[in-house]
Amino acid sequence: MANERNQQNLTDLKGSLTGVETFYVVDYQGLTAGQLSQLRKDIRGKGGQLIVAKNTLINLALQEGGRDFSDALKGPSALVLAHDDPAGVAKTLSDASKGNDRGIPAVKGGFVEGNRVDVRVIERLASLGSKQSLQGELVGVLSAHLSNFVGILEAYRDKLGGGAPEAQA
């Protein structure tokens, strides 16, 4: 690995992994250049990044961060980094694999918010939906409960006689 180009690629890869809490290791073999380009674009749209590198370089970069994925790095591999929306990036990968008859890209493993996870967890994460849609659902639930609470308070105020303007006069 004394090759200067490999050393530069390793440095770049380590820099890309700095501060990343969630990434997926995928097999991309069988995708055409156009499909790979579209996948990169879709992942970027969800706040992620697709990095294709040699397995040795990926393994070295991950091991420096204390993450061992040597068992998943068999055959052509790529790293998909999820900077903003782990579920959205996982859904993009899932949709892309469903979009062709060979199921490519195939997820080999992942690291979600500091913990190594297997393929089943990533599939469940992909079924959740994007971070924005989950936040929207949470806001909807909270506003409904707040609305009910305000209604209860107003009813209680009216019961005590403090709500009507005539009662104060």
Side-chain angles (χ1 to χ4, degrees):
M1 203 193 82
N3 184 340
E4 187 175 318
R5 190 170 123 215
N6 282 347
Q7 289 178 345
Q8 182 61 42
N9 288 342
L10 180 59
T11 303
D12 293 344
L13 191 55
K14 287 178 186 177
S16 295
L17 286 168
T18 303
V20 173
E21 293 282 323
T22 302
F23 64 84
Y24 310 109
V25 179
V26 298
D27 177 2
Y28 67 94
Q29 186 176 23
L31 292 178
T32 65
Q35 289 172 324
L36 190 59
S37 177
Q38 183 62 43
L39 181 60
R40 282 182 197 269
K41 182 179 172 186
D42 294 344
I43 290 171
R44 246 190 326 268
K46 294 293 183 180
Q49 179 183 8
L50 178 99
I51 301 172
V52 175
K54 293 180 179 180
N55 287 344
T56 306
L57 297 177
I58 293 172
N59 195 29
L60 287 171
L62 292 176
Q63 283 183 350
E64 186 167 299
R67 302 170 280 207
D68 183 23
F69 278 82
S70 55
D71 58 325
L73 294 170
K74 307 284 188 246
S77 300
L79 278 179
V80 178
L81 311 180
H83 299 290
D84 299 331
D85 185 6
V89 172
K91 181 154 180 58
T92 299
L93 289 171
S94 176
D95 291 346
S97 69
K98 290 176 185 172
N100 61 54
D101 56 345
R102 290 176 284 178
I104 303 168
V107 177
K108 298 179 182 183
F111 199 75
V112 177
E113 297 192 1
N115 298 308
R116 183 166 178 176
V117 295
D118 63 1
V119 176
R120 287 178 286 137
V121 172
I122 297 168
E123 289 170 353
R124 288 184 53 206
L125 187 61
S127 68
L128 288 178
S130 72
K131 190 175 187 177
Q132 283 182 323
S133 67
L134 292 174
Q135 287 171 337
E137 287 179 31
L138 178 63
V139 167
V141 167
L142 290 176
S143 67
H145 287 297
L146 284 174
S147 203
N148 288 340
F149 182 65
V150 168
I152 290 169
L153 289 176
E154 286 177 349
Y156 187 68
R157 181 188 66 193
D158 292 344
K159 180 181 174 185
L160 293 176
E166 308 86 42
Q168 294 175 354

